[in-house]
Amino acid sequence: MSTPKSTESYRLLAVDDIPDNLFLLQTILEAEGFAVDVATSGSVALSKIKASPPDLILLDVMMPDMTGYEVTQRIRQDESLPAMPILLITAHDKASALQGLELGANDFISKPIDFNELLTRVRTYLQLEHSAEAEPGVEAGNSVKATRQAWRTTQNR
């Protein structure tokens, strides 16, 4: 069994069109030892993801050029990208969050953000992915790879 990664070795991408929201996310996550990159739009996020895929994406749902739903769908459709957890951040109701889950997001965080909840979910998804990668014969129940496969299966119906 391999040694767990430290938070410094995890790269996160935070995506939001509001600079203050990005600054807050980046400050909190970097204070916890994560390496955080930011993107102010869906198209910038996709370019950064293709150039250097992060370990996890925090993605605002409502953005002007491309919604978080569209970004999620494009990531899940692109087979050249590795599987990575996507956590949607939304101020909307549960139905909106469910739409994101149907498109391939792994989870959602409600606004206003509870930062203890955010950090717990980020760590949980990173640990799930790390354990799935460390033990290839073991299926992680909430694995991102399983989420991507399930999403593709529903899209092919």
Side-chain angles (χ1 to χ4, degrees):
M1 181 175 261
S2 66
T3 307
K5 286 172 117 177
S6 70
T7 56
E8 291 98 27
S9 59
Y10 285 116
R11 291 182 43 257
L12 311 182
L13 176 64
V15 186
D16 197 313
D17 61 311
I18 300 172
D20 288 345
N21 291 350
L22 279 178
F23 176 76
L24 190 57
L25 278 172
Q26 185 175 26
T27 301
I28 297 285
L29 293 165
E30 286 179 347
E32 292 296 316
F34 295 103
V36 182
D37 192 9
V38 297
T40 56
S41 71
S43 54
V44 170
L46 288 172
S47 295
K48 287 185 175 204
I49 292 164
K50 288 179 183 187
S52 181
D55 294 304
L56 182 139
I57 302 167
L58 294 164
L59 182 59
D60 185 40
V61 169
M62 298 307 298
M63 294 184 291
D65 77 323
M66 185 183 306
T67 68
Y69 301 135
E70 293 171 279
V71 175
T72 298
Q73 188 172 19
R74 289 187 187 193
I75 291 167
R76 295 301 186 227
Q77 288 175 336
D78 189 338
E79 293 187 21
S80 70
L81 293 175
M84 64 195 85
I86 300 172
L87 304 182
L88 292 177
I89 300 173
T90 181
H92 298 287
D93 60 15
K94 210 171 204 173
S96 298
L98 292 175
Q99 178 185 359
L101 296 174
E102 289 171 359
L103 291 171
N106 297 85
D107 209 345
F108 67 94
I109 308 271
S110 296
K111 288 181 181 178
I113 296 173
D114 173 333
F115 287 101
N116 289 325
E117 177 186 359
L118 171 74
L119 292 169
T120 298
R121 288 180 192 236
V122 165
R123 287 184 182 117
T124 299
Y125 278 100
L126 291 171
Q127 288 170 355
L128 279 171
E129 277 310 291
H130 182 72
S131 65
E133 290 168 5
E135 300 179 41
V138 176
E139 294 275 334
N142 290 330
S143 159
V144 175
K145 292 173 183 81
T147 301
R148 176 183 264 179
Q149 184 57 42
W151 180 82
R152 286 195 178 126
T153 300
T154 62
Q155 299 304 304
N156 291 330
R157 289 184 185 165

